[in-house]
Amino acid sequence: MIIEKIASELSVSPQQIQAAVQLLDEGATVPFIARYRKEATNGLDDTQLRTLEQRLGYLRELEDRRQVILKSIAEQEKLSAELEQKILAADNKTELEDLYLPYKPKRRTKGQIAIEAGLEPLANQLFGDPIQDPETLATQYIDVDKGVADSKAALEGARYILMERFAEDADLLQKIRQSLLQQAHIQAKVVAGKEKEAAKFTDYFDHSELLNKAPSHRALAMFRGRNEGLLQVSLVSDPANEEGDRSSHCEGIIASHFGIRDQGRPADAWLKGVVQWTWRVKILLHMENELFGMLRERAELEAINVFAKNLKDLLMAAPAGTKTTMGLDPGLRTGVKVAVVDSTGKVLATNTVFPHAPQNHWDKAMRTLVNMCQQHKVELIAIGNGTASRESDKLAGEVVKALGDMKIAKIMVSEAGASVYSASELASQELPEMDVSLRGAVSIARRLQDPLAELVKIEPKAIGVGQYQHDVSQSLLGKSLDGVVEDCVNAVGVDVNTASPALLSYVSGLNKTLANNIVNFRNQHGAFKTRKALMEVERLGPKAFEQSAGFLRVMNGENPLDASAVHPEAYKLVEHISQSASASVKELIGNSELLRKLKPADYATESFGIPTIKDILSELDKPGRDPRPEFKTATFKDGVESISDLKPGMILEGVVSNVAAFGAFVDVGVHQDGLVHISAMTDKYISDPREVVKAGDIVKVKVMEVDVARKRISFSMRMSDEPNRQAQSAQQDRPAKAKQQAPKGQAPKPRPQTQPANAAMGNALAEAFAKAKKS
């Protein structure tokens, strides 16, 4: 059942899913399956496999929960054939819990107390035969010894019995859920008296929108405001009603579901009251908690997905390469920390200079940096983009001019996570004798040389390429980001003789222990000469070797194939290909003319199909090819160093630092990223900003609006857009309660995303949306 469901969701065959699940259960990793088991899965890629892995976990949890529920109800001797069939057919956790609700062990309720007092027959009579008078009938159930003092108490007990029965009806809950998903609004209002404290939530002081259209960033912002006690967030089931009107169409759904109609019979008014109480006291709060939980889950998944995509772009950014690099970690009072590393990342020299206030030792700092560049033949200068970065960039610029013929390039790089690395255990092991403050400069230099190799040393969440990372599930975020890092590391490949333990730990089939064992073996016995030698590493058995070998590179080793992505299990096949081509393996590698003449079908076997052979021939043509793009840099405009230097109409060059569902953030060197809204990226309609840009891209932007007080910058990538120059000054004096007005040429507010999250990701709200639409 699970296999067929996932196959349907991914639009692939059950055989493909079955093969992938078997491989995953046997301990194979996603990168290994995607690259080296294409025949088994018929070409499922890493994205499909990640989705499959996630969905498989959800459905297995669902199945485990199903069995627990069936056992619990059976032990209560209440499991009918009809109920069992419904439970077996439930395809999401929400529906399953609805069915279990009446049988779920719970604390003693008012309805249960009323049943114990003998009031259930009264409730049944009034519900089944409304022609009876409630007050008259209730007098028959007065029993002081059982706590029923009068007819009023009897009717109250009967009401609680029916309320609980109604509120636990799974079919009714599904009807109400579908109705709310189609028309309910999420409403946010500022808490009275906290307008000034809640200034950052100005957009949500009086905000309402369809629940099923609320995009992740707005949902998470409203929930954050509520958690901070600054916003009141509620579910509005009937947004068209006048404020204060407590009636709801959901009461009509309840009444209709149970056949309750006001026909003027004695008990009709009492039953109507039961329906109203059921909605207001029982179901409304239950639905608000459930639907807000679903909305948060969907918003979290979308936020995590955006974070993951941005992280991938950052990790796969172009490496500057094996060049001697100087790293500058800017600072004012504490000085600019300096580190020079060689082409392999080895630290050659460190220093601290104080060119800025309050010391202002500009000339001395210049001489120090010039001397270090000359002494170590520096080719690149990497400047961290934090405090005093523009001032330090200016200093680096003068150093470059002073060196003249050395032709040194200076580049501003993100220093996100550098301080986290500096204080980490890994940094202590790599740079044990170095002051913590200088380690950040080393990290900045190395991340310019190879972003992937350096950034894997930092917890992905600390790299700072997402929004609301502290508001989402930390376990889900961590798992997703770890998967991204693993995919990136294995896509590029790792030099086993130079890689750090952190980088090795993300290689398919390896973990921190094996990574450390590889480095220790390397330190004791020297560089690996063959991949086969990895089998001598402590605890690295046949399974780990199978999963990791194809992603580990042995450069200039005994076997030229060890430097490629060709897996050792295919070496004999390569030898067969080379013999048939009358060329040695060395002669075959890089011989495009000869390789193009070979036909993959001629070498296909039961073990190696045409897809794998095509990969092998491609790898032989360009062994160890780096999939990352060519290295490029952005040039920040001189004189534009802080947000106050920005003026509407300016055209600047910047770097995309972050991409969200509603737009992209661009760093133009003013210590505050500006937003290019999705509607201002291009003249044509796009549904995803990543259709146009990704993190790390160099773009030209026009300044549309600057709000210095709130530190908000609005950019456009459409050079024809005209800014609203009056908005600049108007923003400064705007009261906190005022609605944010967008400048001319821009959308007033991020557009709601109309597509719910993919059901294949196991998102309960998306499943509910789909069911609501069908109904």
Side-chain angles (χ1 to χ4, degrees), residues 39-253:
E39 283 77 20
T41 67
N42 198 20
L44 292 180
D45 61 29
D46 54 354
T47 302
Q48 290 173 308
L49 288 165
R50 288 287 177 200
T51 302
L52 183 159
E53 185 180 39
Q54 196 171 32
R55 188 61 169 152
L56 179 66
Y58 176 88
L59 291 176
R60 283 180 169 173
E61 287 177 7
L62 177 68
E63 191 56 39
D64 289 344
R65 181 61 177 161
R66 192 194 317 277
Q67 296 308 314
V68 169
I69 288 173
L70 285 170
K71 182 180 179 182
S72 174
I73 299 175
E75 288 173 349
Q76 298 174 45
E77 298 183 353
K78 296 178 181 179
L79 185 61
S80 66
E82 181 184 3
L83 177 59
E84 182 177 20
Q85 192 57 41
K86 285 184 177 180
I87 291 173
L88 290 173
D91 63 358
N92 63 74
K93 293 178 181 178
T94 301
E95 186 178 348
L96 197 58
E97 295 301 330
D98 280 351
L99 292 166
Y100 186 41
L101 192 58
Y103 311 96
K104 192 173 186 177
K106 56 178 80 74
R107 64 182 183 181
R108 203 156 161 258
T109 65
K110 290 182 178 180
Q112 289 173 327
I113 294 170
I115 290 173
E116 293 166 6
L119 296 175
E120 190 169 23
L122 172 61
N124 291 340
Q125 284 178 284
L126 291 173
F127 176 58
D129 187 15
I131 202 167
Q132 301 192 61
D133 180 66
E135 288 286 344
T136 303
L137 190 60
T139 58
Q140 301 176 24
Y141 293 87
I142 297 173
D143 189 334
V144 177
D145 293 338
K146 293 183 177 180
V148 186
D150 50 30
S151 59
K152 181 180 178 182
L155 289 174
E156 184 177 4
R159 182 180 67 199
Y160 276 111
I161 291 171
L162 290 181
M163 282 169 57
E164 291 180 15
R165 185 183 301 172
F166 291 174
E168 293 177 352
D169 187 290
D171 291 335
L172 171 64
L173 292 177
Q174 185 61 13
K175 287 180 182 178
I176 291 177
R177 184 179 295 113
Q178 289 175 351
S179 175
L180 292 174
L181 285 170
Q182 290 175 335
Q183 65 182 51
H185 277 215
I186 179 172
Q187 183 182 79
K189 290 181 179 291
V190 65
V191 174
K194 295 195 174 183
E195 290 82 0
K196 186 175 181 179
E197 188 181 349
K200 62 183 176 181
F201 296 108
T202 302
D203 296 340
Y204 305 101
F205 278 12
D206 186 11
H207 178 82
S208 179
E209 66 180 307
L210 273 170
L211 178 79
N212 67 359
K213 296 291 181 68
S216 64
H217 61 280
R218 291 212 289 271
L220 290 174
M222 285 185 272
F223 288 140
R224 177 185 284 183
R226 182 178 67 172
N227 291 341
E228 293 180 10
L230 303 174
L231 296 177
Q232 293 176 332
V233 182
S234 57
L235 181 76
V236 180
S237 61
D238 298 87
N241 283 1
E242 292 290 332
E243 190 168 346
D245 184 356
R246 298 184 64 197
S247 63
S248 171
H249 74 284
C250 292
E251 294 172 12
I253 295 174

Side-chain angles (χ1 to χ4, degrees), residues 369-573:
L369 295 184
V370 167
N371 289 337
M372 291 177 75
C373 287
Q374 290 174 331
Q375 181 182 351
H376 301 291
K377 297 182 174 56
V378 170
E379 299 169 86
L380 294 171
I381 299 178
I383 306 117
N385 66 345
T387 303
S389 62
R390 289 311 301 272
E391 296 88 342
S392 300
D393 181 58
K394 184 178 180 181
L395 174 68
E398 294 199 15
V399 169
V400 171
K401 287 180 183 177
L403 289 166
D405 295 339
M406 283 189 67
K407 296 182 180 179
I408 299 175
K410 63 179 181 69
I411 299 98
M412 193 84 73
V413 300
S414 169
E415 62 177 37
S419 59
V420 174
Y421 165 76
S422 299
S424 69
E425 182 181 350
L426 180 60
S428 298
Q429 294 170 355
E430 287 188 329
L431 308 166
E433 305 300 325
M434 186 176 293
D435 186 86
V436 172
S437 64
L438 291 168
R439 292 173 184 167
V442 175
S443 177
I444 289 168
R446 287 175 174 173
R447 68 176 60 186
L448 179 60
Q449 292 177 321
D450 189 337
L452 179 60
E454 191 63 22
L455 291 174
V456 294
K457 300 174 184 177
I458 302 166
E459 185 182 15
K461 289 182 286 187
I463 296 176
V465 287
Q467 286 193 301
Y468 303 103
Q469 60 256 43
H470 301 298
D471 297 331
V472 303
S473 165
Q474 296 302 292
S475 61
L476 279 178
L477 178 62
K479 186 176 180 180
S480 175
L481 299 186
D482 282 344
V484 170
V485 179
E486 182 182 28
D487 287 342
C488 291
V489 168
N490 290 286
V492 173
V494 173
D495 185 337
V496 71
N497 286 319
T498 61
S500 67
L503 187 59
L504 286 166
S505 69
Y506 282 104
V507 171
S508 167
L510 302 184
N511 53 34
K512 289 183 179 180
T513 299
L514 288 176
N516 283 320
N517 289 350
I518 289 172
V519 173
N520 291 336
F521 186 92
R522 191 174 73 198
N523 292 338
Q524 293 172 16
H525 300 90
F528 288 93
K529 293 182 174 59
T530 65
R531 279 172 168 165
K532 191 175 181 180
L534 286 162
M535 296 289 286
E536 300 174 30
V537 173
E538 183 182 0
R539 299 179 68 177
L540 201 156
K543 188 67 178 181
F545 181 80
E546 175 199 56
Q547 296 293 307
S548 64
F551 304 103
L552 294 171
R553 310 281 187 266
V554 178
M555 311 307 292
N556 303 312
E558 295 175 3
N559 188 333
L561 293 176
D562 285 349
S564 72
V566 177
H567 197 282
E569 66 188 10
Y571 283 6
K572 287 186 178 180
L573 174 63

Side-chain angles (χ1 to χ4, degrees), residues 22 98 190 238 261 314 321 354 373 538 568 603 632-633 685:
Q22 183 176 339
D98 280 351
V190 65
D238 298 87
R261 296 183 300 277
L314 188 61
F354 299 89
C373 287
E538 183 182 0
Y603 306 102
K632 295 179 181 177
T633 62
Y685 172 79

Side-chain angles (χ1 to χ4, degrees), residues 228-388:
E228 293 180 10
L230 303 174
L231 296 177
Q232 293 176 332
V233 182
S234 57
L235 181 76
V236 180
S237 61
D238 298 87
N241 283 1
E242 292 290 332
E243 190 168 346
D245 184 356
R246 298 184 64 197
S247 63
S248 171
H249 74 284
C250 292
E251 294 172 12
I253 295 174
I254 299 170
S256 175
H257 183 77
F258 291 106
I260 296 173
R261 296 183 300 277
D262 189 355
Q263 298 177 346
R265 294 169 295 185
D268 283 347
W270 182 82
L271 287 171
K272 182 181 179 182
V274 172
V275 168
Q276 290 175 336
W277 276 69
T278 300
W279 165 243
R280 296 173 189 176
V281 176
K282 288 285 186 181
I283 298 180
L284 174 57
L285 181 60
H286 170 78
M287 282 295 164
E288 181 174 278
N289 289 337
E290 178 189 305
L291 295 182
F292 279 3
M294 289 180 176
L295 177 60
R296 173 178 282 282
E297 181 187 348
R298 187 195 72 181
E300 286 185 0
L301 286 176
E302 291 180 5
I304 289 170
N305 187 40
V306 170
F307 202 135
K309 289 178 178 178
N310 285 335
L311 178 63
K312 181 178 181 180
D313 291 338
L314 188 61
L315 294 175
M316 296 298 283
T322 54
K323 298 179 179 180
T324 303
T325 303
M326 174 182 282
L328 302 182
D329 187 358
L332 294 172
R333 183 182 57 81
T334 57
V336 178
K337 276 65 71 179
V338 186
V340 178
V341 300
D342 69 9
S343 59
T344 66
K346 179 183 177 182
V347 180
L348 300 176
T350 60
N351 211 323
T352 302
V353 296
F354 299 89
H356 313 309
Q359 293 90 343
N360 294 315
H361 298 160
W362 186 272
D363 292 339
K364 183 178 179 181
M366 277 276 297
R367 289 193 299 272
T368 300
L369 295 184
V370 167
N371 289 337
M372 291 177 75
C373 287
Q374 290 174 331
Q375 181 182 351
H376 301 291
K377 297 182 174 56
V378 170
E379 299 169 86
L380 294 171
I381 299 178
I383 306 117
N385 66 345
T387 303

